[in-house]
Amino acid sequence: MNGGDGNNSYANNSLLQKKVILKARAVLQQSITEFYNKTFSDCIKIADMGCSSGPNTFLPIWEIIDAIVDTCNRLKTKAPALQIFLNDLPSNDFNSVFLSLPNFYKKLDEEKGGKIGPCFIAATPGSFYGRVFPTQFLHFVHSSYSLHWLSQVPEGIMNKGNIWIAETSPPTVHKAYSDQFKRDFTLFLRSRSEEIISGGHMVITCMAQTTNPSCKFGGCELLRLIGISLKDMVNEGMIKESIFDSCNFPIYAPSKEEVISMIEREDSFMIAKLEEFELSWDANIENGDKNLVFNTWERAKYVATYMRAVTESILANYFDNAIIEDLFQRLSIKVVDYLDKGIGLYNNLVIFMIKK
């Protein structure tokens, strides 16, 4: 993700991800409430895997705190201390996270002072596709919009003319991406099963495939549109074709059936609840202000800008920075057509699991 707080930063272009967290709020709060109903610990250890940076980093934590406060009030019990670990890759902009901590603690004291125990927040950098915490250490794990990102591009794929799975990609490419996701997700489950106590809870949200023709590849269709824009630039002599053909994105939206099958096969967690929900590509552009109205071009620019915030660092590994502005201008134009036809949608899974 683009760090910092500039116009193209993830911090300033993550309203869609905020909407995803808010849509999954009920499941998250149900999970933490049910956990605390049966586990009266003096200190609850919580990890947010793939926390990123920006205002959304503390949003799930706030939802968890709300659920704990409500449960303690209902049960008339003393509120526990919280030990919260923010996990992401070492390249994540943790500096921005740390700089926003004083404001978070101030808000916590103003709104929850006396209702919750001490809250300690720390960063734990490292890939969640492997062990990050000690054995039987965590009570609760949360992850939102991170697990569709693979640990790597599948090795040895031949996907000429595409930067991701497309209709023109050979079946071997589809299988390679699916197999990479299965390896990664199984490793994620196995690692968390060792780190979470028996009876601990986990809630994850990710993009997912669907049979809805208006929601191709779970929403990753935007990557295909970026690929088409890059192909146009190849044809115009702005990009070398060999470089374009070497570019592939490490992302995969699984089907609901794939996820259920892998959870059952790994056999460390029981699925307590699973829900699906769709969001338009331009979801939450108004950020809660229903009086704001946007035309199609403004909505398309919004989509292109948040896509730039999450893809620019990968594209920079392949292409000259000079093409980036032009590339996302072209993407905006293509998104207009999708939004006009009402076919720009993301499909999402939110899953509440309990460690066996």
Side-chain angles (χ1 to χ4, degrees), residues 141 147 201 203 254 307:
V141 167
L147 283 164
H201 288 198
V203 174
M307 283 301 294

Side-chain angles (χ1 to χ4, degrees), residues 155-354:
E155 293 181 354
I157 60 171
M158 299 295 291
N159 198 21
K160 186 176 176 61
N162 301 298
I163 63 169
W164 190 70
I165 301 170
E167 286 88 346
T168 57
S169 299
T172 52
V173 169
H174 289 257
K175 185 177 186 302
Y177 270 93
S178 176
D179 288 348
Q180 184 66 51
F181 178 81
K182 289 174 183 175
R183 286 191 293 271
D184 286 344
F185 189 58
T186 299
L187 182 55
F188 175 86
L189 293 173
R190 189 171 298 137
S191 299
R192 303 295 80 77
S193 73
E194 295 178 17
E195 297 166 349
I196 299 175
I197 66 168
S198 179
H201 288 198
M202 179 161 66
V203 174
I204 63 173
T205 308
C206 68
M207 289 193 295
Q209 293 175 30
T210 174
T211 56
N212 184 346
S214 296
C215 187
K216 293 181 180 180
F217 300 114
C220 294
E221 178 77 357
L222 279 166
L223 286 178
R224 191 182 73 85
L225 296 185
I226 292 175
I228 292 173
S229 300
L230 287 167
K231 182 65 173 177
D232 291 342
M233 298 171 89
V234 169
N235 294 337
E236 293 169 22
M238 299 175 64
I239 296 173
K240 289 184 178 180
E241 187 172 17
S242 59
I243 296 177
F244 170 61
D245 288 338
S246 71
C247 177
N248 285 283
F249 269 75
I251 192 169
Y252 180 77
S255 67
K256 178 177 70 174
E257 291 74 22
E258 280 181 293
V259 172
I260 293 173
S261 174
M262 281 181 275
I263 293 171
E264 291 177 346
R265 187 180 300 116
E266 200 279 329
D267 200 33
S268 295
F269 293 90
M270 175 188 71
I271 298 175
K273 192 166 192 174
L274 185 150
E275 293 183 353
E276 283 186 277
F277 61 91
E278 292 180 353
L279 289 175
S280 64
W281 285 354
D282 62 339
N284 210 30
I285 185 174
E286 76 291 340
N287 196 21
D289 188 345
K290 295 182 180 179
N291 293 319
L292 294 177
V293 178
F294 300 89
N295 61 37
T296 306
W297 175 248
E298 291 169 325
R299 291 158 58 209
K301 285 287 289 182
Y302 164 75
V303 174
T305 303
Y306 74 63
M307 283 301 294
R308 178 172 179 171
V310 301
T311 62
E312 185 171 6
S313 62
I314 295 176
L315 291 166
N317 291 324
Y318 298 93
F319 307 106
D320 192 290
N321 286 336
I323 74 153
I324 296 298
E325 200 70 39
D326 189 356
L327 171 62
F328 286 97
Q329 179 77 1
R330 292 167 186 254
L331 177 64
S332 299
I333 295 169
K334 288 178 169 56
V335 171
V336 165
D337 183 54
Y338 271 66
L339 295 179
D340 278 341
K341 295 176 180 177
I343 56 175
L345 296 173
Y346 292 104
N347 188 55
N348 305 279
L349 283 180
V350 55
I351 311 166
F352 160 22
M353 291 175 270
I354 301 174

Side-chain angles (χ1 to χ4, degrees), residues 30-58:
Q30 176 189 344
S31 177
I32 198 71
T33 299
E34 289 184 10
F35 173 78
Y36 196 65
N37 273 334
K38 64 184 180 182
T39 306
F40 297 100
S41 175
D42 291 334
C43 179
I44 297 181
K45 299 181 180 69
I46 299 163
D48 189 24
M49 317 297 284
C51 66
S52 195
S53 62
N56 293 343
T57 298
F58 296 105

